[in-house]
Amino acid sequence: MYRSRPMFGRVVSSYLDAVNSRVVIFDGATGTTLQQANLTADDFGGPDLEGCNELLSVTRPDVIETFHDSFLTIGCDVVETNTFGGSSITLAEYGIADRAYELSKISAEIAVRVARDHATTAHPRWVAGSMGPGTKFASLGHIRYSELRDSYEEQARGLLDGGIDLFIVETQFDLLGLKAAVNGARAAMRAAGRSVPIQAQVTMEVTGRMLPGTEIGAALAAIDPLDVDVIGLNCATGPAEMVEHVRHLSRHSRMPISVIPNAGLPSVVDGEMQYDLKSEELARHHAEFISEFGVSVVGGCCGTTVDDLKAVIDVCRDLEPAERDPVHEAGATSMYSFVPFKQDTSMLIIGERTNANGSRKFREALLSEDWDTCTQVGKDQIAESAHLVDVCVDYVGRDGALDMDEVAHRFATQVAAPIVLDSTEPEVMEAGLERIGGRSILNSANLEEGDAPGSRLDRVLTLAKEHGAAVICLLIDEDGQARDVEWKMRVAHRLFEIATNRYGLEPSDLIFDALTFPLSTGGDDLRRDAMATMEAIKRIKTELPGCATTLGISNVSFGLKPAARHVLNSVFLYECVDAGLDSAILHAGRIVPMSQITDEQRRVCLDLIYDRRTDDYDPLTELLEIFADVQSVKKVREDRSDWSIEDRLAAHIIEGDREGLTDDLDHAL
């Protein structure tokens, strides 16, 4: 009903069957309910432990049983375990990190026992193992991804052994932390030999974004490829502030949607936290979410009581979720924003200057460990219109994993564009993935070592699946870089079948680089390579629907002087886009608009690209002659002082010229 994606390795679950067929209602706030029990420090085991609600499962199990029973009695379908802060990282703040597994298992057992007492054939009940965000911000470097993931795995093992029916990874303010929780839960399930659904929920602040500034589109795009079973929102605000986020999920999420808001916005009255939303208002909002946006999981977060959830049950129990026809957009994300692979008005530009092997400035900054300059090169790529930034730190004599760790950590928060992690070594890519909460692209996967377990391809595709990354696939096999069209297509089809059938990646996760050799060598065996590349692009688009294409444009001109390179790259790019190219790895600031290339320069470049040699004419020779004395192809800016304001603005648009644009706009206004 909701999910239009291929269900690779789908978990069989009565909970998911219910979510896909009707409204499922969660319980209310743990903290609010426990506060009403008037507990003292002795109930927690002493003053130093007061406030650690997870300990109540051991010190006052009767209170936790009563809490679960109260919500199940009124008809809630799901109760959450008393483990929101139950990871070792959070429990360490009370000096009891070593009790994470124990407390999670006991808490799950209590909830399962009470839920089973209420369950009937007509009305099944489920227990969700609660995994909260903790207090460490992985994207800001407060904690390592691996440490956080391992802590979540320990908690998840306890919850599974206690008998939970699903995980709820909730109140997540950081996408990197969410990934750690999801992958920790997956590791625990593999170890236990038992799979349950995962429901992942983020928290959108009153600012309209997650705590570090993540928009809902970026959150969805990062979570979708993780193959969780339900996506949603909880905490921070009441339902009214969630409407636009829910609207976006309704339009684009291929997963069922959960909405578990607070009882309005909190305020402090006489030293106590108060929530302003009435029970009937919460119920009305949920009814709208269900009937208008197709939400199928609702419940209550901070401030919500048994009375609130009773009102929700009375109003929403028999509602039918609206039908949805979600439109999935393939793309990448930074910590902040989503960038679709398909650009409406241009191709996707991947900036190539943050590459130790292609940019002297970046390489020198890397070698001197001048991380601020490395980061500035990334920012400069965005200023020159790059949608994504390709980061390659591979350099002889350097520890690539350490360098990528440093660079990716800074890029994750300081560079606003999504990151392409470019390396020949999977461990270098992994170092970057463990620093980036958004959705990255791995550059690259190929068949040079074959496809056996432990091969480079196996390791890269495994990383892509685990971290939800897209992958650039190079048309290289055991015999080398594919040259002719048929060879290229054999490799492309083989990579496609392996990635989709063996690793569960989707076509939209794959970006094929048809590769091209330089046309500048003059060798007869390379003269038709550009044509083979363009034909492969056309066939990939036709024969592998849903996949995207990319190309490292500058390789076509390798060895030429800069002025000739800029023009040949630009003309070749234009022809590739015409053939269906979706994206290109290039230096955007060195691409020359076709309107600024002379007819003669364009003609000879096209002759070279399409190998239009004759007995007395070699376009490569003529290209070298044309640019023999040309140092730059930068157009001299003509005097526009006597132009009308309309003509000046038109020139800015047509030529992509920012110089003086603000002044001209101010004048026009």
Side-chain angles (χ1 to χ4, degrees):
M1 177 178 177
Y2 299 103
R3 191 161 177 153
S4 58
R5 73 187 316 152
M7 297 299 292
F8 182 84
R10 183 184 187 275
V11 176
V12 177
S13 162
S14 62
Y15 171 72
L16 290 182
D17 289 341
V19 166
N20 281 285
S21 61
R22 64 175 175 86
V23 176
V24 174
I25 301 174
F26 271 62
D27 58 8
T30 303
T32 300
T33 305
L34 294 179
Q35 287 168 10
Q36 295 172 348
N38 297 316
L39 300 171
T40 67
D42 290 339
D43 291 303
F44 292 91
D48 292 341
L49 300 173
E50 186 173 10
C52 182
N53 289 340
E54 291 70 27
L55 271 173
L56 295 173
S57 296
V58 174
T59 60
R60 290 294 307 272
D62 58 310
V63 172
I64 303 304
E65 288 180 7
T66 300
F67 160 65
H68 293 317
D69 183 75
S70 65
F71 284 101
L72 291 165
T73 297
I74 63 169
C76 286
D77 301 301
V78 187
V79 292
E80 295 187 28
T81 56
N82 178 38
T83 55
F84 181 81
S87 72
S88 60
I89 301 298
T90 305
L91 293 176
E93 298 180 8
Y94 293 94
I96 54 172
D98 59 328
R99 301 188 67 180
Y101 173 85
E102 170 205 355
L103 293 177
S104 291
K105 183 174 183 289
I106 291 172
S107 295
E109 289 172 339
I110 293 171
V112 168
R113 183 168 62 250
V114 179
R116 298 299 180 258
D117 288 343
H118 282 269
T120 65
T121 302
H123 191 179
R125 310 300 178 98
W126 297 281
V127 172
S130 174
M131 299 171 70
T135 56
K136 305 290 186 180
F137 209 137
S139 286
L140 297 186
H142 296 168
I143 188 170
R144 286 283 183 172
Y145 165 88
S146 56
E147 183 182 357
L148 190 56
R149 178 200 59 212
D150 293 348
S151 175
Y152 275 125
E153 180 184 355
E154 180 185 23
Q155 181 184 17
R157 283 195 298 106
L159 293 169
L160 282 170
D161 289 348
I164 61 160
D165 301 296
L166 68 142
F167 290 107
I168 179 167
V169 176
E170 59 181 333
T171 323
Q172 294 291 328
F173 53 78
D174 175 23
L175 291 177
L176 190 55
L178 184 146
K179 288 183 182 181
V182 168
N183 286 324
R186 287 242 164 83
M189 288 190 281
R190 286 193 298 271
R194 175 176 172 237
S195 293
V196 301
I198 297 176
Q199 182 166 312
Q201 297 176 172
V202 297
T203 291
M204 307 300 291
E205 303 291 331
V206 291
T207 59
R209 291 173 175 255
M210 292 170 65
L211 191 59
T214 311
E215 64 184 17
I216 188 63
L220 173 60
I223 296 169
D224 177 275
L226 297 176
D227 279 344
V228 300
D229 300 280
V230 180
I231 187 173
L233 308 168
N234 78 287
C235 208
T237 71
E241 293 77 20
M242 294 181 172
V243 171
E244 291 309 311
H245 310 310
V246 177
R247 189 190 308 277
H248 183 91
L249 293 179
S250 178
R251 290 173 175 172
H252 299 291
S253 171
R254 299 185 291 173
M255 298 157 280
I257 302 167
S258 62
V259 182
I260 303 180
N262 290 347
L265 294 174
S267 59
V268 178
V269 179
D270 296 330
E272 295 186 1
M273 192 71 74
Q274 301 286 336
Y275 292 87
D276 59 4
L277 199 68
K278 294 181 171 57
S279 298
E280 57 270 23
E281 293 176 313
L282 177 64
R284 177 177 56 80
H285 279 292
H286 273 322
E288 292 173 355
F289 289 145
I290 294 164
S291 301
E292 294 183 21
F293 299 129
V295 170
S296 58
V297 180
V298 297
C301 202
C302 299
T304 57
T305 64
V306 168
D307 291 339
D308 293 326
L309 269 299
K310 180 64 168 64
V312 171
I313 291 169
D314 290 343
V315 172
C316 300
R317 166 67 70 204
D318 297 324
L319 294 179
E320 183 175 346
E323 290 284 346
R324 294 194 295 115
D325 186 19
V327 177
H328 173 61
E329 291 183 292
T333 77
S334 65
M335 176 187 283
Y336 310 108
S337 303
F338 170 66
V339 175
F341 292 154
K342 180 176 176 56
Q343 294 291 311
D344 291 335
T345 58
S346 71
M347 58 157 192
L348 186 73
I349 299 174
I350 304 173
E352 68 177 359
R353 303 309 294 165
T354 44
N355 187 321
N357 298 295
S359 166
R360 178 184 298 175
K361 182 176 182 180
F362 184 76
R363 178 172 62 252
E364 291 177 349
L366 180 72
L367 294 177
S368 62
E369 299 187 356
D370 180 357
W371 307 119
D372 289 340
T373 297
C374 288
T375 304
Q376 188 58 50
V377 175
K379 294 178 180 179
D380 291 344
Q381 292 290 279
I382 301 171
E384 293 183 340
S385 302
H387 299 106
L388 289 80
V389 176
D390 184 270
V391 178
C392 179
V393 297
D394 291 356
Y395 197 75
V396 176
R398 299 284 301 181
D399 186 325
L402 284 178
D403 285 340
M404 182 62 84
D405 178 73
E406 288 283 355
V407 172
H409 175 47
R410 288 164 172 78
F411 276 43
T413 57
Q414 298 178 46
V415 176
I419 307 301
V420 178
L421 298 169
D422 187 347
S423 178
T424 59
E425 302 302 326
E427 58 269 24
V428 176
M429 297 180 188
E430 184 175 22
L433 288 169
E434 293 192 356
R435 284 295 197 177
I436 296 172
R439 189 187 195 208
S440 300
I441 301 174
L442 302 184
N443 186 12
S444 57
N446 64 67
L447 287 159
E448 185 177 15
E449 295 181 357
D451 61 349
S455 65
R456 187 178 299 148
L457 178 69
D458 170 62
R459 294 159 66 196
V460 172
L461 295 184
T462 298
L463 284 173
K465 188 63 181 176
E466 178 182 352
H467 291 269
V471 186
I472 292 176
C473 299
L474 304 186
L475 302 189
I476 299 173
D477 65 8
E478 296 89 339
D479 296 322
Q481 179 173 324
R483 296 288 301 281
D484 61 71
V485 176
E486 294 305 323
W487 185 3
K488 289 177 185 288
M489 294 311 300
R490 284 197 303 274
V491 179
H493 279 280
R494 187 177 163 197
L495 283 166
F496 178 88
E497 292 300 322
I498 292 169
T500 56
N501 292 334
R502 192 182 304 173
Y503 295 88
L505 298 178
E506 295 186 67
S508 60
D509 298 329
L510 306 178
I511 304 170
F512 285 92
D513 187 339
L515 300 173
T516 192
F517 279 94
L519 295 176
S520 50
T521 65
D524 283 344
D525 59 330
L526 300 179
R527 288 295 189 118
R528 301 182 66 82
D529 263 52
M531 286 188 287
T533 297
M534 290 186 289
E535 181 61 25
I537 290 169
K538 293 177 183 178
R539 288 185 56 179
I540 288 168
K541 300 295 292 182
T542 301
E543 297 175 23
L544 301 175
C547 297
T549 56
T550 194
L551 191 64
I553 291 294
S554 61
N555 199 45
V556 77
S557 64
F558 185 78
L560 297 176
K561 61 188 303 183
R565 293 198 73 179
H566 299 162
V567 171
L568 180 57
N569 290 347
S570 302
V571 175
F572 183 50
L573 174 62
Y574 183 87
E575 296 299 300
C576 288
V577 170
D578 191 52
L581 186 70
D582 299 295
S583 67
I585 304 172
L586 49 81
H587 186 180
R590 295 294 182 265
I591 294 300
V592 185
M594 296 302 290
S595 61
Q596 295 182 20
I597 297 175
T598 68
D599 291 343
E600 180 186 33
Q601 291 171 349
R602 183 179 182 186
R603 173 189 58 77
V604 74
C605 286
L606 289 172
D607 287 347
L608 180 59
I609 291 167
Y610 291 99
D611 193 25
R612 295 169 182 162
R613 286 176 292 173
T614 64
D615 291 341
D616 56 357
Y617 170 64
D618 185 339
L620 177 58
T621 301
E622 184 161 338
L623 181 69
L624 295 174
E625 291 175 354
I626 288 174
F627 286 95
D629 298 319
V630 179
Q631 300 303 317
S632 172
V633 292
K634 185 175 181 180
K635 185 177 180 180
V636 177
R637 199 169 192 276
E638 57 195 313
D639 182 6
R640 300 174 181 172
S641 59
D642 60 345
W643 289 18
S644 69
I645 187 60
E646 291 82 5
D647 288 342
R648 295 207 301 273
L649 289 176
H652 282 297
I653 294 169
I654 293 168
E655 298 177 8
D657 180 13
R658 291 187 176 91
E659 185 177 347
L661 175 59
T662 301
D663 291 340
D664 285 344
L665 284 171
D666 289 341
H667 179 74
L669 289 170

